[in-house]
Amino acid sequence: MSTPYPFTAIVGQDDLRLGLLLNAVSPAVGGVLVRGEKGTAKSTAVRALAALMPEVPVVPGCRFSCDPGSPDPACPDGPHAEAAGVSRAARTVELPVGASEDRLVGALDIERALSEGVKAFEPGLLADAHRGILYVDEVNLLHDHLVDLLLDAAAMGASYVEREGVSVRHAARFLLVGTMNPEEGELRPQLLDRFGLTVEVSASRDTDERVEVVRRRLAYDDDPGGFAARWAEEEGALRERIAAARVLLPRVVLGDGVLRQIAATCAAFEVDGMRADIVMARTATALAAWAGREEVTADDVRQAALLALPHRRRRNPFDAPGLDEDKLDQTLDEAGPQEDGSDDDDPDPGPDGGGDGGGGGGVPPQADGDRTPPSASQSDDTPSPASESAPDTPGRPAGGEQQPVAAAEPFRTKMLSVPGLGEGAAGRRSRARTEHGRTTGAVRPQGALTKLHLAATVQAAAPHQRARGRAGRGLVVRRDDLRQATREGREGNLVLFVVDASGSMAARQRMSAVKGAVLSLLMDAYQRRDKVGLVTFRGKEADVALPPTSSVDAAAARLESLPTGGRTPLAAGLLKAHDVLRVERLRDPSRRPLLVVVTDGRATGGPEPVALAGRAGRLHRSEGTASVVVDCESGYVRLGLAGELARELGGTAVTLDELRADSIAGLVKDVTAAGRAA
């Protein structure tokens, strides 16, 4: 077994270390989500935490880590007779992003259950993590069905495995720790709220600190054992401090004054539900115990708010996490100590918050922590539009380029789906064969059986009962009788946006509405677990503004800074999109694409621009790419060019108004299959 990097040898990252240590002191805090760029010691710190956790007493031979003082009466390995327990180190169990459902929750031997009536159960990772740490690296990339199972286990403290009426239950209480890079996409709000704390990490910009990081890492790589031995004293001291804080924790007093501050803070920042209040109370109590105090202070409340609230304030995936610290201080002052004198020893929360914790100040200040999608009215200060044929003039960017305009308010869009039945990654957009969903039939299993079709299995076994010598009431089932259920659910797609940024789209209100529509579609893609990409075209060429990614907020940021102006190379935009899709088909052939072209249909620049655009559209159609054209043409006289483009693509054209889910045109608009007659 490799020697882990010592926790005390980590340079900087005060917030990360504090968040993990508070959970070690009080697992009831609810875990921690670590957000940050790659290469910032996220995984190193999490793996190092296990060595600091106190040992766990367990029932000898129990695969589910039952506590000998209060064994689980429903334990599959029970019931447990009274016996002395044994101690072992706390486990850190890693959940791979690509794990199967059976690997997470465990698996039942269905064949033995049907033929012998016994529950032959193989525990999964949730059983291994009971009373320990469950670590999910890249938790934002975890499949939805695994997220659902984690949510259930975290909420109930138990895991249930059910297969056609045969069920097993076991305790599953664990410290949930997740790490993620926000550039690769955000978490579902339900799972995000399950993390008690969140911390933002980034690489230090201090030269001396970076030098020390490299020096220590090289020393560890050269001699892991020797490096760990040099930090053994510091590790032992920290381990003892955690144990002392755990002993002190039940004696910490949470006064009415600080409870009022906690409630006022959560109300002021408009967090949903009551979980934030409870987590803040537990975190503040853990901070006091960590500092060796028996009373919670306003400093503890402030520090707890910086750790527990930022990820609970996001209203959509484009909101930046963080808290307005001036507003936080004002709220704490207004809800300060009451007349009964509670917290008189520390009436002022102070600007540096929670120094006793040995950590930093939670999430660094965010200048735009309250950022919401800008409205159309915010675009009034943008420059006046110029026609795409206007000559360059002094003070105007080359090619008639206009400064970016703000997007209009986003709205709920109709669902655009790819026709047919796919087999891509689980999501929420198009129909697909999946491991979850409604049962549509049965087949012979290829490999391990995961979803039994009971009726089909019984039907296959029934004709052979006499030949197999059946004598009692039980059904004699053989391996060849088992049938796997085929299920239909939803998949995520690759939604590739091709956005016209030419001069014909440059009018302020018009481009603001267009950006608002694309922003709305991006929010829809986030909710449906799609990958997204962004191609823009203007002037003489097209650019890949964002290669396909799971990070829709990255696409939103590129859209916000998108300039406009120049001619309309529509064909170049469509051909660039064809190149992107060709590469993505090689990388992920099972993920079906949806092409969304946002344009008024005009094509200018170069010889025969309209004919070239038509040929580019037919190229997509010949390859079966599902497409939709968002018609941005405005005014009383409309040329219908976007509709013509949609027919060349073999797709559908919708106006900006028809794109809204609440428009009278209907609630759902499927994209027509490529190749369908125009």
Side-chain angles (χ1 to χ4, degrees), residues 120-143:
F121 181 67
E122 184 66 29
L125 295 177
L126 290 181
D128 293 341
H130 180 47
R131 306 175 67 202
I133 301 171
L134 181 62
Y135 171 46
V136 190
D137 193 14
E138 307 295 350
V139 63
N140 50 323
L141 303 182
L142 201 62
H143 288 304

Side-chain angles (χ1 to χ4, degrees), residues 70-90:
S70 57
D72 181 6
C75 176
D77 283 356
H80 297 297
E82 293 186 7
V86 296
S87 294
R88 63 161 174 77

Side-chain angles (χ1 to χ4, degrees), residues 374-539:
S375 63
S377 62
Q378 291 173 303
S379 62
D380 292 340
D381 294 333
T382 54
S384 301
S387 68
E388 55 183 313
S389 60
D392 297 340
T393 58
R396 182 188 305 279
E401 177 180 310
Q402 304 299 302
Q403 293 300 317
V405 299
E409 285 288 346
F411 51 85
R412 189 167 64 90
T413 67
K414 295 175 182 177
M415 188 179 76
L416 306 174
S417 61
V418 178
L421 195 63
E423 296 181 348
R428 299 180 179 179
R429 184 172 297 279
S430 304
R431 295 173 53 231
R433 297 183 184 91
T434 62
E435 294 184 359
H436 303 270
R438 63 185 182 90
T439 301
T440 58
V443 296
R444 290 181 181 272
Q446 302 294 323
L449 179 71
T450 56
K451 297 291 183 181
L452 178 74
H453 194 296
L454 183 58
T457 299
V458 172
Q459 186 176 9
H464 309 290
Q465 296 305 295
R466 180 174 298 178
R468 293 173 182 173
R470 173 182 169 184
R473 300 178 59 184
L475 188 69
V476 181
V477 179
R478 303 284 171 80
R479 175 68 185 174
D480 291 342
D481 301 328
L482 299 180
R483 295 294 182 269
Q484 174 87 19
T486 57
R487 300 180 179 239
E488 182 178 312
R490 294 278 172 177
E491 67 177 357
N493 298 110
L494 166 60
V495 182
L496 181 62
F497 294 94
V498 182
V499 180
D500 185 348
S502 66
S504 66
M505 302 281 289
R508 284 182 299 174
Q509 297 300 327
R510 188 177 180 191
M511 197 61 196
S512 177
V514 168
K515 285 188 175 183
V518 177
L519 193 66
S520 303
L521 290 167
L522 284 171
M523 289 180 63
D524 182 68
Y526 164 75
Q527 293 166 352
R528 301 189 187 282
R529 313 301 289 173
D530 295 316
K531 290 180 68 174
V532 296
L534 179 63
V535 172
T536 63
F537 58 94
R538 52 184 286 274

Side-chain angles (χ1 to χ4, degrees), residues 47-282:
R47 294 187 177 104
L49 179 65
L52 302 176
M53 300 286 284
E55 290 191 336
V56 179
V58 297
V59 173
C62 177
R63 297 175 297 167
F64 301 88
S65 301
C66 279
D67 186 345
S70 57
D72 181 6
C75 176
D77 283 356
H80 297 297
E82 293 186 7
V86 296
S87 294
R88 63 161 174 77
R91 292 173 178 164
T92 296
V93 178
E94 296 193 28
L95 171 59
V97 171
S100 65
E101 178 181 340
D102 287 345
R103 184 71 186 96
L104 177 62
V105 301
L108 282 170
D109 189 330
I110 300 299
E111 185 174 0
R112 291 189 63 192
L114 287 175
S115 59
E116 301 176 26
V118 297
K119 296 179 180 179
F121 181 67
E122 184 66 29
L125 295 177
L126 290 181
D128 293 341
H130 180 47
R131 306 175 67 202
I133 301 171
L134 181 62
Y135 171 46
V136 190
D137 193 14
E138 307 295 350
V139 63
N140 50 323
L141 303 182
L142 201 62
H143 288 304
D144 275 359
H145 68 283
L146 297 182
V147 170
D148 293 336
L149 294 170
L150 275 182
L151 290 175
D152 290 342
M156 297 183 294
S159 175
Y160 292 84
V161 183
E162 298 188 3
R163 294 290 188 273
E164 303 293 344
V166 181
S167 64
V168 171
R169 173 210 169 275
H170 65 83
R173 292 183 296 276
F174 46 82
L175 173 60
L176 181 61
V177 180
T179 57
M180 59 174 283
N181 184 346
E183 295 178 355
E184 297 174 337
E186 288 293 343
L187 272 178
R188 281 174 52 184
Q190 294 90 337
L191 183 56
L192 191 63
D193 190 52
R194 287 293 176 186
F195 286 98
L197 310 179
T198 183
V199 294
E200 297 277 340
V201 296
S202 59
S204 173
R205 299 297 183 259
D206 181 80
T207 301
D208 292 337
E209 192 167 293
R210 295 175 73 98
V211 167
E212 186 61 22
V213 170
V214 175
R215 181 181 291 118
R216 293 186 186 182
R217 185 68 207 192
L218 293 177
Y220 170 77
D221 290 341
D222 288 342
D223 182 11
F227 183 82
R230 290 195 293 275
W231 289 89
E233 184 176 349
E234 288 84 352
E235 290 281 286
L238 188 58
R239 192 178 297 109
E240 291 176 2
R241 185 177 177 185
I242 293 173
R246 282 194 167 196
V247 172
L248 179 62
L249 186 66
R251 304 200 302 269
V252 175
V253 177
L254 188 69
D256 289 342
V258 291
L259 270 176
R260 181 174 294 275
Q261 286 183 313
I262 289 170
T265 301
C266 293
F269 285 101
E270 300 180 348
V271 296
D272 295 332
M274 295 298 298
R275 183 174 285 119
D277 303 63
I278 297 171
V279 170
M280 273 191 65
R282 290 171 173 167

